[in-house]
Amino acid sequence: MATVAAPEQKQEPTVVEFDVRTDEMLVNMGPQHPSTHGVLRLVLRTDGEVISEVTPHLGYLHRCAEKIGENVTPIQFIPYTDRMDYLAGMNMNLGYSLAVEKLCGMKVPEKANVIRVLIAELNRIASHLVGMGAYGLDLGTFSPFLYAFREREMILDLFEEVCGARLTYSYITIGGVHDDLPPGWVERCREFLNYLKPRIAEYHALLTTNHIFVKRTANIGVLPKELALAYGCTGPMLRGSLDRRQGDPDWDLRKIEPYCGYETYDFNVVVPPFDDRWGWRAPEGTVLGDAWHRFMVRMLEVVESIRICEQALDRYPHAQGAHRIEPPRHLPAGEAYRETECPRGQMGFYVVGAPGKGAVPLRVRARSSSFCNLSVTNEICRGCLIADVPAIVGSIDIVMGEIDR
Amino acid sequence: MTAADIIALLEQQFGSRIQSKNLEAIDPFVVVDAADLLDVCRFLKEDSRLHFDVLNCISGVDYLELDPKKAPKAGFDPHMEVVYHLSSFRHRHRFVVKVMLPRWKDNKPGELPEVPSVTSLWPTANWHEREVYDLSGIWFTGHPQLTRILLAEDWVGHPLRKDYEYPLEYHGIRGR
């Protein structure tokens, strides 16, 4: 904790002031924030307990992945995308693959698309489970974290069977997926989904309807829709601020700019209010766009992802084509920008092919969703108490690996 | 609105201030001069037919072929590009605006080329421009606080420049 001395005020020695003056204080939070979001340092300018400014300091996990991307071929870059958002490696692989495929004009077979959707949605579930558990940690409860990791462990086991890795998969690759699903995997995946479905009620009992949890998250870090759009917030962060009753669209790239055949799947985009489609009424005290709404969007997205997974499992046995096609050896000249809906928001990859038809791209740019989501912190933390800062930053559900790249 | 309609609207509004356009590209784009960038962006954001209220991404791209033998065949002259990816929440269309810059201002190595900041239009540009400044070395005039964001404050150079030299030492930490 660091204090900044207030400037010495020149006073007449005879004048005695009895007024109580409050000093502004700089409080340093981090760089090791006690949660799994990564290494983030916040410098809070406070007036007593009230925050007047939050300055996030980034870059502790910076590896200049974009520079690496200019020196390796697209397939060699896939493992680096895993290490961006390490909680949703599959979704990162998918985003980069789609960008390169857009540049090359490749069309991926149906079977590869079905596996991609299935795997990406499983990873979304795993990522939201961690988001839920880590958010509990931020608020000072440990047990939801253990339950979340128990279920996530099963997803990791499924992934391990598919690709041999548990965190950095490099499974989805350019032209499809690296391997076909192993025999018996579909049944085991279905078994897991049937196991997971009743567990969701437990999480709701632990957190969503918990009186203390609601008190900590309701009306905290309220993000109006206009502010969210101005700061480029996406994903659950933006959707928690939308209102279907006001005519806001279901803002989810899987619906509005479908890729991998998402348009053929039956699922809902989670946008408040939650009472008609999901039967959840927002507790008293919560307002649209607060931390509770963001949390709830993630919880309900798990339910929707399970639905997509089940449909993909039904389709898999009949899906046509191979699981992978050979990508071209050289990148064509030109540039392509592709955004995908990752668990934390819209992750964009911008790939520029060199005019000389090289094997390596001229430029790789990753538009990070958490980067934009975090940039709004100062706006939504202003005026709140120090104790609410972890609750707000936790509700953004950032992963620093993706922000710092 | 399709990209062709957007470009037609822009040409109608700005005429020859739109330096060039490319409709055949995968993501069609227009190129504007740095001096016209703010006007074009304000029109793109505020015109009700376009309404680009979301700035998705700002990227700096360095076009430079280091190998002098390959340089004549590289297919481009050395220059920098700043690429703005925009999208509209209401109309759901996307568009790309580019600004071409010399690699160094007035061809003096070390002098960063300048672009006006669009932070006043899209607050999200604040951090994106800091990142582009930090990594690609482009100076955004009018930015409220243009400091490094990902690298350390005392870092030398801009790593995404093609001619960036890797430091051999940083505060006693050996590089290479």
Side-chain angles (χ1 to χ4, degrees):
Chain A
M1 199 179 268
T3 55
V4 170
E8 287 278 323
Q9 287 196 348
K10 288 207 172 117
Q11 283 181 338
E12 290 285 318
T14 51
V15 177
V16 182
E17 198 174 296
F18 288 103
D19 194 17
V20 178
R21 201 163 45 86
T22 55
D23 282 341
E24 281 210 328
M25 188 164 70
L26 285 183
V27 181
N28 184 52
M29 231 186 201
Q32 294 284 356
H33 195 252
S35 63
T36 57
H37 300 297
V39 190
L40 169 68
R41 175 172 158 235
L42 298 170
V43 176
L44 317 174
R45 183 181 291 279
T46 62
D47 181 5
E49 280 239 42
V50 181
I51 309 274
S52 49
E53 191 188 358
V54 179
T55 316
H57 287 257
L58 327 171
Y60 292 94
L61 291 181
H62 181 59
R63 294 144 289 178
C64 220
E66 296 177 5
K67 184 79 176 177
I68 298 171
E70 293 175 6
N71 294 302
V72 295
T73 61
I75 288 202
Q76 287 171 332
F77 189 61
I78 292 276
Y80 292 97
T81 61
D82 281 321
R83 284 147 181 88
M84 289 185 183
D85 184 350
Y86 40 73
L87 293 179
M90 295 286 192
N91 299 70
M92 295 286 121
N93 297 163
L94 180 60
Y96 186 63
S97 304
L98 284 173
V100 174
E101 283 160 15
K102 183 177 175 184
L103 178 63
C104 299
M106 287 165 70
K107 208 165 162 3
V108 171
E110 188 200 345
K111 187 175 186 181
N113 272 336
V114 170
I115 300 177
R116 279 179 169 190
V117 167
L118 175 58
I119 293 289
E121 292 307 317
L122 273 179
N123 209 163
R124 191 185 307 275
I125 297 173
S127 170
H128 282 338
L129 284 176
V130 179
M132 178 204 79
Y135 193 38
L137 274 189
D138 286 346
L139 297 178
T141 169
F142 196 69
S143 29
F145 188 71
L146 299 176
Y147 288 105
F149 265 60
R150 181 186 65 185
E151 266 74 80
R152 177 172 176 264
E153 199 64 20
M154 297 180 181
I155 299 181
L156 295 193
D157 285 343
L158 287 171
F159 284 164
E160 194 177 9
E161 269 186 72
V162 162
C163 63
R166 296 173 65 80
L167 197 68
T168 49
Y169 313 103
S170 312
Y171 175 62
I172 296 175
T173 185
I174 292 144
V177 295
H178 198 272
D179 291 296
D180 205 350
L181 299 177
W185 192 87
V186 173
E187 287 72 39
R188 284 192 289 279
C189 184
R190 214 183 283 276
E191 220 169 85
F192 162 73
L193 293 177
N194 289 332
Y195 165 85
L196 178 65
K197 270 187 271 179
R199 296 291 175 280
I200 291 167
E202 292 181 7
Y203 310 143
H204 284 307
L206 266 173
L207 283 180
T208 318
T209 52
N210 184 319
H211 186 67
I212 305 169
F213 180 81
V214 173
K215 283 277 173 205
R216 289 284 318 260
T217 55
N219 206 357
I220 292 292
V222 180
L223 174 70
K225 182 183 95 180
E226 290 72 27
L227 194 67
L229 290 175
Y231 275 88
C233 298
T234 46
M237 188 85 178
L238 171 65
R239 285 194 283 278
S241 303
L242 299 180
D243 191 348
R244 259 186 293 124
R245 286 167 301 193
Q246 305 285 332
D248 286 333
D250 290 343
W251 192 261
D252 187 319
L253 287 187
R254 293 175 292 171
K255 275 276 189 229
I256 56 173
E257 283 178 10
Y259 51 92
C260 290
Y262 267 113
E263 65 275 20
T264 58
Y265 292 85
D266 175 31
F267 67 102
N268 290 319
V269 176
V270 184
V271 173
F274 307 122
D275 43 6
D276 53 349
R277 283 183 187 166
W278 299 279
W280 279 97
R281 183 174 298 168
E284 223 164 278
T286 57
V287 292
L288 197 71
D290 62 358
W292 187 87
H293 273 81
R294 291 195 276 277
F295 170 81
M296 196 60 189
V297 167
R298 284 191 194 99
M299 293 301 289
L300 293 173
E301 276 188 6
V302 172
V303 180
E304 297 297 330
S305 289
I306 293 175
R307 280 178 65 194
I308 302 177
C309 281
E310 285 178 334
Q311 293 169 48
L313 284 175
D314 290 340
R315 284 178 198 195
Y316 172 71
H318 320 290
Q320 302 291 316
H323 64 274
R324 181 157 66 111
I325 53 169
E326 203 59 38
R329 188 164 289 177
H330 293 292
L331 280 175
E335 47 202 86
Y337 180 73
R338 190 77 178 92
E339 281 190 353
T340 52
E341 189 72 32
C342 285
R344 280 165 193 79
Q346 296 173 13
M347 181 78 198
F349 281 98
Y350 175 54
V351 185
V352 182
K357 267 197 160 188
V360 297
L362 186 96
R363 176 82 162 93
V364 175
R365 171 88 165 100
R367 182 259 188 213
S368 157
S369 45
S370 296
F371 184 81
C372 299
N373 289 351
L374 185 68
S375 68
V376 83
T377 320
N378 184 29
E379 294 283 339
I380 60 177
C381 284
R382 200 176 292 140
C384 74
L385 302 177
I386 295 179
D388 290 335
V389 172
I392 295 174
V393 175
S395 75
I396 302 175
D397 190 21
I398 47 169
V399 165
M400 291 310 288
E402 183 196 341
I403 293 174
D404 295 341
R405 282 158 286 157
Chain B
M1 234 183 198
T2 63
D5 296 336
I6 295 169
I7 292 177
L9 255 182
L10 282 175
E11 283 187 324
Q12 188 193 333
Q13 181 75 16
F14 292 101
S16 59
R17 289 165 78 190
I18 304 293
Q19 284 185 333
S20 66
K21 57 179 178 178
N22 190 339
L23 265 169
E24 287 76 46
I26 301 169
D27 298 313
F29 61 86
V30 293
V31 180
V32 296
D33 192 69
D36 296 327
L37 178 73
L38 264 180
D39 288 342
V40 173
C41 284
R42 188 170 293 120
F43 178 73
L44 282 168
K45 188 190 173 199
E46 286 168 6
D47 190 274
S48 61
R49 293 162 291 181
L50 301 169
H51 208 265
F52 283 101
D53 48 357
V54 181
L55 173 67
N56 290 78
C57 187
I58 303 180
S59 330
V61 189
D62 185 7
Y63 284 87
L64 176 72
E65 178 54 63
L66 280 178
D67 190 343
K69 278 182 199 156
K70 288 184 193 162
K73 283 190 246 161
F76 51 77
D77 295 326
H79 68 281
M80 296 287 295
E81 277 179 16
V82 185
V83 188
Y84 297 80
H85 288 96
L86 308 172
S87 63
S88 167
F89 184 74
R90 192 192 291 166
H91 301 305
R92 301 184 185 184
H93 47 219
R94 288 179 181 269
F95 196 58
V96 184
V97 178
K98 281 188 182 188
V99 179
M100 306 268 183
L101 297 167
R103 290 196 74 246
W104 302 108
K105 190 187 174 192
D106 305 328
N107 283 326
K108 276 187 223 149
E111 297 274 311
L112 300 183
E114 288 176 2
V115 185
S117 166
V118 292
T119 308
S120 55
L121 294 172
W122 297 286
T124 180
N126 187 329
W127 279 24
H128 277 287
E129 285 174 351
R130 281 176 69 188
E131 191 190 330
V132 173
Y133 158 69
D134 191 357
L135 300 181
S136 297
I138 286 161
W139 189 263
F140 291 90
T141 52
H143 189 282
Q145 190 203 4
L146 196 63
T147 52
R148 289 189 183 268
I149 187 166
L150 292 177
L151 300 179
E153 283 160 21
D154 57 349
W155 197 263
V156 180
H158 303 281
L160 286 179
R161 293 266 180 157
K162 295 279 180 191
D163 53 359
Y164 173 71
E165 284 172 18
Y166 292 87
L168 296 174
E169 186 266 337
Y170 177 73
H171 287 289
I173 307 164
R174 206 156 52 91
R176 292 259 154 170

